[in-house]
Amino acid sequence: MGMDSGAPTGQAGAVVGRGPAETGAGAGRPKALSPSRAGDFMQCPLLYRFRVIDRLPEKPSAAATRGTVVHAVLERLFDAPAAERTTERARGLVPGEWERLLSSRPELAELFHDEDGAHDSALLAKWLGEAERLVERWFTLEDPTRLEPAERELYVETALESGPLLRGFIDRVDVTPAGDVRIVDYKTGKAPAPRFRSEALFQMTFYALVLWKLQGRVPRRLQLVYLGSGDVLTYDPVEDELRAVERKLRALWDAIVLATETGEWRPRPTKLCGWCDHQAVCPEFGGTPPPYPLPIVAQRDGRVDPREAAQGRMDTV
C-alpha cells in the first residue's frame, strides 16, 4: 500500500474523544460492546459478567501497566517534529509517562514493593528498562520520521441497527493522500502462532467495521505491530468480511442480552483460567459467584422465553 513511503495525510472522520468508561462503581447492565469485552464473553461468559455486570476489582499487572506506558510513549512521540522523533527521545519519555500514570493511579506503586511492602527501586528500574527496550524495538519496525498519523488513540463509536453500540480506542490511524485508511495497533507481547491469529484479527476487524460504518469506506489495511517479538502482521479486509463480523457481533450481543435477562452466565474453563483474578468466586474453582445484582426476566413453565429475553430491555446509549 506504500503507506510507509511517505507522509500520510488527512482525517479519519470518526467520532473522536476519550469516550465513556466501560466500568464504574456499582453493578449495571451492558450498554456497549468493545473488542475487549466481546473477547471476554467469547472466552468465558462468567468472566464477562464479573467484569461488566458485577464490576469486580482486579489486581493490576506489571505487563499490562508496561503496555499502557509504552502506548502512551508511542502516542506522545508524534507531538514532536518528524526530525526529532528519535530513539533517544522516545526512551526518554518512558519515565515521565510512568510518573504521569502513577499520579492518576497511585495503587500501581504496589507493583514495585518487596515482600515487606517497601519500595523496590531495583525492580522498578528493571521494569522501566524493559519498557524502554520495547519502545526502542518499535524503531526497527516502523520509521516515525516518515509518518504523520491522521489520528492517535482515536475513540470511535457507532450503533448497529437493532444491535449494540460498538466503541473502542484505535492506537493509530494513517490516511494516504488518496484516502486509503490503515488501522494500526501496538502489542507489547509476542506475535501469536498462526493458528491463534484469528483472535487478534477480530479486534482489528471490529475497528474496521466501526470505521466503515462511520465513513462508508472499508479500511485498506489492518496492521498489528508486536513489539515483544519484532513482528508486523498485516491484513487487508473486504466488505463481505466486515458484514460477517457485523453478523457475529449481533449474535454475540443477543447472547449477552439473553444471559443478562436470565442471569445464566456459564464459566468456560480454558488454560487462561490460571491467570484469572476471580477464581475465588468461580464455580470451576469451588467458589460461589456473588448474588446476581440485576432482576431476572419472568419465566414461563419454568423456562425463560428466549423471545422475551432477546428483546433486550437494555438501554444502548
Side-chain angles (χ1 to χ4, degrees), residues 78-298:
F78 285 102
D79 290 341
E84 298 178 18
R85 298 170 193 162
T86 63
T87 306
E88 293 72 20
R89 184 185 187 94
R91 288 174 61 99
L93 290 173
V94 170
E97 290 304 319
W98 159 240
E99 291 297 332
R100 185 191 300 268
L101 179 61
L102 185 61
S103 66
S104 62
R105 296 187 58 190
E107 71 276 10
L108 293 178
E110 297 178 5
L111 291 171
F112 308 106
H113 288 175
D114 60 24
E115 296 179 355
D116 297 326
H119 175 68
D120 189 332
S121 58
L123 184 61
L124 175 59
K126 179 182 178 181
W127 181 86
L128 289 172
E130 292 169 348
E132 291 174 2
R133 283 189 290 276
L134 289 173
V135 168
E136 188 173 14
R137 179 172 288 163
W138 177 59
F139 284 81
T140 68
L141 305 174
E142 295 190 289
D143 183 357
T145 67
R146 299 172 64 82
L147 291 168
E148 291 299 337
E151 304 288 356
R152 292 170 277 152
E153 281 297 306
L154 174 69
Y155 175 75
V156 293
E157 67 174 40
T158 190
L160 296 182
E161 184 178 357
S162 301
L165 176 69
L166 305 180
R167 67 190 187 194
F169 288 92
I170 301 176
D171 289 344
R172 198 179 86 219
V173 177
D174 300 332
V175 183
T176 67
D180 288 330
V181 172
R182 175 173 64 185
I183 299 175
V184 180
D185 191 71
Y186 307 121
K187 301 292 186 184
T188 51
K190 297 181 179 180
R195 67 181 183 276
F196 297 120
R197 287 178 182 175
S198 60
E199 297 178 10
L201 284 175
F202 171 75
Q203 174 188 4
M204 301 300 282
T205 52
F206 182 108
Y207 290 138
L209 172 64
V210 173
L211 283 188
W212 177 43
K213 291 290 184 181
L214 290 169
Q215 301 173 357
R217 183 170 184 173
V218 175
R220 176 69 176 83
R221 175 155 294 178
L222 312 178
Q223 181 167 304
L224 287 156
V225 181
Y226 287 93
L227 304 177
S229 57
D231 295 299
V232 176
L233 304 182
T234 61
Y235 185 76
D236 297 343
V238 297
E239 187 172 311
D240 285 347
E241 290 173 314
L242 298 188
R243 292 189 186 278
V245 172
E246 181 176 358
R247 291 192 297 271
K248 180 175 183 176
L249 291 173
R250 288 181 186 275
L252 190 65
W253 187 250
D254 286 344
I256 290 173
V257 168
L258 182 61
T260 301
E261 297 295 346
T262 63
E264 295 184 5
W265 301 89
R266 298 181 179 180
R268 184 175 297 149
T270 68
K271 293 180 179 179
L272 297 175
C273 291
W275 286 272
C276 183
D277 281 342
H278 308 300
Q279 293 181 13
V281 290
C282 178
E284 294 297 319
F285 291 87
T288 301
Y292 191 56
L294 301 178
I296 302 297
V297 73

Side-chain angles (χ1 to χ4, degrees), residues 45-59:
L46 186 58
L47 173 64
Y48 178 96
R49 177 202 150 170
F50 288 156
R51 285 178 167 170
V52 178
I53 305 294
D54 300 291
R55 297 175 182 175
L56 300 182
E58 296 182 349
K59 296 179 181 179

